Amino acid sequence: MTSVQIPTNITPSEQQAQQYFIKGKYTEAASCYEQAIETEPEVKSHYWNLGLMLLLQGQEAEAQMTWLLAMEEGEAQLEQWTVELIKVLQTEAERRETLTDYSVAWAIRQHIREISPIYVNNLLYLIQLSIKLKTFTGDELTSLEVIELIQSEAIIDIELLLQVLGSIINDDPLHPSVIEFAESCLTHVSEPQSFINILLPAAVKIAHSMQQPKVAISLVELCLRLEPENTELLRHLASFYLKDYNYSQGIEIAKLCYSLSKNLTDQVFAKHLIQRGLMEAPAYWNEACTVFLEQEFLLKSLIEEQPINLESARILRLFNANYYAPYLQDNPHKNRQIQNQVAQLCQLNVQEYATEKVQRYKKRSSHNRNKQIKIGYLSHCLSRHSVGWLARWLIQHHTREQFDIYGYFINYKQVDDWLQQWYVQQFNQAYLGGIYSDDIAEKIYQDEIDILIDLDSITLDVTCEIMALKPAPVQVSWLGWDASGIPAVDYFIADPYVLPESAQEYYTEKIWRLPQTYIAVDGFEIGVPTLRRDSLDIPSNAVVFMSAQRGFKRHPDTALLQMRIIKEVPNSYFLIKGVADSEAVQKFFMQLAEEEGVEYSRLRFLDLDPSESVHRANLAIADIVLDTYPYNGATTTLETLWMGIPLVSKVGQQFAARNSYTMMMNAGITEGIAWTDEEYVEWGVRLGKDEALRQQVALKLKASRQTAPLWNGKQFTREMEKAYEQMWQRYIEKK
């Protein structure tokens, strides 16, 4: 639309009208404009303003009639008059929006739409106002035909277009028309980064907070049309594909990202993504081992280089770059050394780019020795996640008179999750954080937390950065994984079994051993089973072995031992279940079965269950569960023992290879604990052939529910609280 010069010579009636208008006296202003029309009937601006005054009084029909009457006189000037009228209405709409009077601004713009239905900038303003008024449904994108107008290459305010795109994606990112709207914007984007800055953060939120990786993939692919070799986009795209279980595509994108990465830190993370995809598909295990060695070389090169000027985004990606080491080898001296050095490098960089914050946190005010100890729990897993299922008993049994309990939720999920809501209600205060560390760390500091418990370790980079900032005077890692190696973490919670006595040699954190177990639960909810032997074509008198683990826990050496057990136990079947590339898992086990001479017909591949409670109920179909190594089960082990099912587990040296060992010991069970490959097979065969032994173990496990430390959440909580008190006392004494 072309601009129009509005006459500047204002009559006394107009001047008086404007004074009334500013005061909100629209009736009086309308009278002034009526007088102006009587004096100067040829001046159309009087009609436009009179109609506006009527409109502001709610007299919409009268306003429209006023405008129509003014336009009846000449067809030749109709376009110019329309422009003038729209200019008057638009000016008032903008003023109303400045005053946050969004409903009036919206009503005025609706009239502009009636006057000019294809004025696309006005339609964009209408959408933006709908979002501010919380009336936006997403259907406006089609009902207003705004997508078609944008695609028709209409003259568009690009800044406004991108503002509206950002508002829509934040308000209703999953509406079916959002992707199409974003795509329609592409032809108008002159600066790709402005478009990427809107879509990429939204995609991250959609993939991780809203659990919709397919939508996130679509958004990133739109960005890649503008910059097809943008490694930041490719990194996220690979991650989203892997989250969507599309491992082959994720691996392919990660390899492309690696080929385009120019510096060492970017290469490290790209290699990490490749490894992640390969580990989820056991058929690619040999390649995963090769990539692991390449990653190890890159990490050692980075440690040797010791860069201390890396920006936050690169450091975040570096924290968990060595994540898969314990899944591939039980070599804690080597794995921990690399992890500790990487974590130290990361913390040095955090202290470099966040100097002011780190120094301020160091100067925290002194604490009252006699007050309640403030305990903060930090995690992205306080929900229907393994950590969420296990940590709840500690939170539930905490002594509120002695401890002030705070919860800090990272990436608080915008999905229905009853367990997450339970956690929110249990804490004295709960902070529902996003995906960035700054606000969460600052909140921890402002809340004056005494002891901060990290439940994530290197499973989440954001948690690592928060811990490296050290917002609390005492910081502890517990439960979620092995220790992170971050120097700012003071203690790592363990027990007499989960780490060997010599472990302190290769930990930077002080190992704090609880007297019996580092984890205890009061039990698990059990649903209704959906598996039956007859539906799986398994005879009722067969011996059923089961393994229910993620793909990257299925080390081929251990899987081969499992095949040997199946071969040695007559009339036995093996049920295999877990998150992974299902086709690759089947190929992996079929190949091992062929190598060991096990008939394919003795293998069953199960789909994931609809809920955790159903999964636990379905465990009852198994006579024996075969654990993984060098990375044991943890939650799966607890669930197996709670269901009274014998377990065969090999014990190693690293934390990940001793989880099942400590849990079995704390349930009073030694049957099934193996220290060598030979013992693993022997226990599997023995339990498979000896029904009486299986029944004996099952009875011991059932009885252990009443007596064993593993099932006594309240006693465990008292031991954790005693540890907190001692940690705090040590800190106070050092002050």
Side-chain angles (χ1 to χ4, degrees):
M1 300 185 69
T2 57
S3 61
V4 174
Q5 294 295 322
I6 306 298
T8 57
N9 50 323
I10 301 176
T11 65
S13 295
E14 285 182 288
Q15 194 171 23
Q16 183 65 50
Q18 288 182 5
Q19 291 175 356
Y20 283 132
F21 167 65
I22 292 170
K23 295 176 181 178
K25 297 181 177 181
Y26 306 128
T27 303
E28 291 84 347
S31 297
C32 290
Y33 282 121
E34 287 171 351
Q35 293 174 16
I37 289 171
E38 289 180 9
T39 306
E40 300 176 312
E42 72 285 355
V43 178
K44 297 300 179 182
S45 62
H46 299 332
Y47 296 89
W48 314 148
N49 286 303
L50 173 59
L52 176 60
M53 297 306 110
L54 294 170
L55 179 64
L56 294 174
Q57 295 177 75
Q59 301 177 40
E60 296 185 19
E62 291 83 350
Q64 290 175 341
M65 184 63 68
T66 300
W67 297 327
L68 286 173
L69 286 173
M71 292 186 181
E72 281 182 348
E73 298 178 5
E75 195 171 312
Q77 295 176 290
L78 191 59
E79 183 178 350
Q80 179 182 341
W81 291 342
T82 301
V83 172
E84 291 179 7
L85 173 56
I86 289 175
K87 180 69 174 177
V88 169
L89 296 177
Q90 192 165 270
T91 300
E92 177 59 10
E94 291 171 356
R95 189 179 78 89
R96 291 288 176 168
E97 190 167 353
T98 302
L99 297 171
T100 68
D101 193 353
Y102 300 132
S103 56
V104 173
W106 183 87
I108 293 171
R109 288 199 175 277
Q110 279 286 26
H111 282 279
I112 296 175
R113 179 193 166 208
E114 291 179 14
I115 296 165
S116 180
I118 63 170
Y119 182 18
V120 68
N121 288 336
N122 181 64
L123 300 178
L124 292 172
Y125 275 117
L126 268 174
I127 291 171
Q128 197 169 49
L129 287 165
S130 297
I131 293 171
K132 290 177 178 178
L133 288 166
K134 302 188 184 305
T135 60
F136 181 71
T137 65
D139 296 336
E140 293 88 341
L141 298 175
T142 50
S143 63
L144 296 177
E145 298 182 349
V146 68
I147 294 174
E148 291 82 352
L149 289 169
I150 294 171
Q151 290 171 336
S152 68
E153 299 186 11
I155 298 173
I156 295 177
D157 182 336
I158 303 301
E159 185 178 346
L160 171 63
L161 179 65
L162 293 178
Q163 285 177 1
V164 173
L165 174 62
S167 298
I168 289 172
I169 282 192
N170 286 325
D171 184 77
D172 192 5
L174 301 182
H175 191 278
S177 297
V178 168
I179 301 295
E180 189 181 359
F181 179 80
E183 186 175 16
S184 71
C185 298
L186 281 174
T187 56
H188 299 279
V189 175
S190 57
E191 295 181 6
Q193 197 58 48
S194 60
F195 184 77
I196 293 169
N197 288 345
I198 293 170
L199 261 60
L200 186 55
V204 171
K205 178 180 177 182
I206 290 165
H208 298 297
S209 296
M210 306 181 80
Q211 306 295 318
Q212 296 291 329
K214 282 186 171 63
V215 177
I217 287 167
S218 297
L219 292 175
V220 175
E221 287 178 338
L222 288 179
C223 295
L224 283 166
R225 290 194 200 177
L226 299 174
E227 292 189 355
E229 295 189 350
N230 185 314
T231 53
E232 183 72 9
L233 293 174
L234 291 170
R235 273 191 291 270
H236 284 288
L237 183 61
S239 177
F240 297 158
Y241 271 121
L242 296 176
K243 188 173 181 64
D244 194 42
Y245 310 130
N246 189 340
Y247 301 110
S248 58
Q249 191 69 16
I251 292 167
E252 182 181 334
I253 298 296
K255 287 181 176 178
L256 173 60
C257 182
Y258 179 77
S259 70
L260 294 170
S261 296
K262 304 301 182 186
N263 63 65
L264 195 52
T265 52
D266 289 350
Q267 289 171 350
V268 164
F269 189 71
K271 192 68 75 172
H272 170 76
L273 284 174
I274 296 169
Q275 190 173 20
R276 176 180 162 193
L278 294 171
M279 295 286 287
E280 289 280 19
Y284 301 127
W285 196 272
N286 288 336
E287 186 179 353
C289 291
T290 301
V291 170
F292 170 67
L293 293 175
E294 294 168 350
Q295 176 76 320
E296 192 176 272
F297 173 78
L298 290 173
L299 287 171
K300 287 180 177 178
S301 300
L302 191 66
I303 291 165
E304 186 177 346
E305 187 179 297
Q306 282 289 300
I308 56 169
N309 57 349
L310 299 175
E311 62 270 27
S312 173
R314 284 193 166 91
I315 289 302
L316 280 173
R317 293 194 289 268
L318 189 58
F319 270 115
N320 54 15
N322 196 44
Y323 178 81
Y324 290 105
Y327 292 92
L328 289 152
Q329 60 182 13
D330 180 22
N331 189 343
H333 286 85
K334 181 180 179 182
N335 293 344
R336 292 299 322 166
Q337 181 184 32
I338 293 175
Q339 179 58 43
N340 294 341
Q341 290 174 330
V342 169
Q344 183 181 36
L345 175 61
C346 289
Q347 179 160 312
L348 285 171
N349 277 272
V350 171
Q351 291 174 339
E352 184 72 19
Y353 64 67
T355 303
E356 181 277 328
K357 184 167 289 190
V358 171
Q359 292 301 318
R360 182 159 52 87
Y361 291 171
K362 280 183 179 179
K363 297 175 183 176
R364 59 179 57 83
S365 58
S366 60
H367 297 262
N368 180 357
R369 297 186 181 205
N370 300 317
K371 71 177 180 63
Q372 278 185 313
I373 300 175
K374 287 187 177 181
I375 309 292
Y377 289 93
L378 172 70
S379 182
H380 75 298
C381 301
L382 297 175
S383 57
R384 287 172 54 192
H385 178 282
S386 290
V387 167
W389 290 117
L390 305 188
R392 56 184 172 152
W393 305 108
L394 171 62
I395 304 303
Q396 178 174 308
H397 292 308
H398 253 310
T399 308
R400 294 317 200 265
E401 297 77 22
Q402 193 172 354
F403 298 91
D404 204 1
I405 310 302
Y406 288 64
Y408 298 93
F409 293 73
I410 302 174
N411 192 23
Y412 182 78
K413 294 178 176 60
Q414 298 180 6
V415 293
D416 291 333
D417 189 317
W418 67 266
L419 187 54
Q420 185 179 68
Q421 292 307 310
W422 179 88
Y423 270 108
V424 171
Q425 294 165 7
Q426 294 300 308
F427 291 114
N428 293 21
Q429 291 189 41
Y431 183 68
L432 311 183
I435 59 174
Y436 301 105
S437 61
D438 285 356
D439 60 325
I440 301 172
E442 186 64 23
K443 189 68 172 68
I444 293 167
Y445 172 71
Q446 295 295 338
D447 287 341
E448 297 185 332
I449 294 300
D450 298 320
I451 303 176
L452 180 63
I453 313 299
D454 161 27
L455 297 170
D456 296 343
S457 187
I458 66 168
T459 63
L460 190 71
D461 48 13
V462 175
T463 308
C464 291
E465 187 176 38
I466 292 170
M467 298 304 285
L469 290 166
K470 191 128 180 152
V474 178
Q475 300 196 152
V476 183
S477 285
W478 171 64
L479 185 62
W481 209 72
D482 201 347
S484 65
I486 297 170
V489 177
D490 303 289
Y491 300 105
F492 178 52
I493 301 290
D495 62 34
Y497 308 104
V498 78
L499 287 177
E501 291 182 9
S502 61
Q504 190 62 69
E505 298 173 12
Y506 44 84
Y507 277 85
T508 59
E509 302 88 345
K510 173 69 176 176
I511 297 173
W512 193 289
R513 294 182 190 267
L514 299 181
Q516 293 174 305
T517 176
Y518 85 95
I519 180 60
V521 299
D522 285 351
F524 293 98
E525 295 83 355
I526 311 300
V528 178
T530 59
L531 291 181
R532 291 173 54 93
R533 293 194 175 199
D534 54 8
S535 64
L536 293 173
D537 194 23
I538 296 176
S540 59
N541 64 343
V543 177
V544 176
F545 292 89
M546 177 183 272
S547 174
Q549 294 290 356
R550 294 200 62 141
F552 46 72
K553 287 189 178 183
R554 297 196 183 282
H555 196 289
D557 292 349
T558 305
L560 193 63
L561 300 179
Q562 293 169 347
M563 286 297 106
R564 289 175 184 169
I565 293 169
I566 305 303
K567 183 180 180 179
E568 291 294 320
V569 178
N571 194 29
S572 65
Y573 291 78
F574 191 25
L575 308 186
I576 301 158
K577 179 174 68 173
V579 177
D581 183 329
S582 57
E583 185 178 335
V585 168
Q586 292 188 33
K587 180 180 177 182
F588 172 73
F589 277 103
M590 291 294 192
Q591 184 176 342
L592 290 176
E594 184 177 0
E595 290 175 11
E596 286 299 308
V598 176
E599 301 90 341
Y600 297 165
S601 59
R602 297 171 68 182
L603 306 183
R604 298 288 186 275
F605 298 94
L606 307 180
D607 294 330
L608 295 177
D609 294 306
S611 69
E612 295 87 352
S613 63
V614 172
H615 159 72
R616 295 168 196 139
N618 282 336
L619 287 173
I621 198 173
D623 295 299
I624 307 107
V625 168
L626 299 178
D627 198 9
T628 48
Y629 174 91
Y631 204 113
N632 296 165
T635 305
T636 50
T637 294
L638 284 167
E639 291 169 331
T640 298
L641 299 177
W642 180 255
M643 293 299 295
I645 302 169
L647 177 76
V648 179
S649 181
K650 180 184 171 184
V651 187
Q653 291 300 303
Q654 65 185 1
F655 175 83
R658 299 171 71 93
N659 263 305
S660 295
Y661 169 52
T662 188
M663 292 169 185
M664 293 171 77
M665 293 296 290
N666 278 291
I669 298 295
T670 57
E671 296 87 347
I673 296 176
W675 294 89
T676 64
D677 289 351
E678 292 73 23
E679 287 185 13
Y680 184 88
V681 174
E682 286 170 8
W683 271 118
V685 173
R686 184 179 170 188
L687 285 164
K689 290 182 176 181
D690 192 339
E691 183 178 358
L693 178 61
R694 295 199 301 270
Q695 291 176 349
Q696 179 186 338
V697 173
L699 287 172
K700 286 174 70 174
L701 285 171
K702 183 178 180 182
S704 76
R705 290 188 180 188
Q706 303 301 318
T707 58
L710 193 65
W711 313 124
N712 193 336
K714 187 173 289 187
Q715 176 182 306
F716 167 73
T717 302
R718 299 291 87 82
E719 290 169 355
M720 282 286 278
E721 289 179 339
K722 189 181 297 183
Y724 292 161
E725 290 175 327
Q726 292 172 355
M727 290 174 187
W728 186 242
Q729 187 60 35
R730 288 188 184 183
Y731 171 75
I732 291 295
E733 289 172 357
K734 288 180 181 178
K735 290 288 284 182

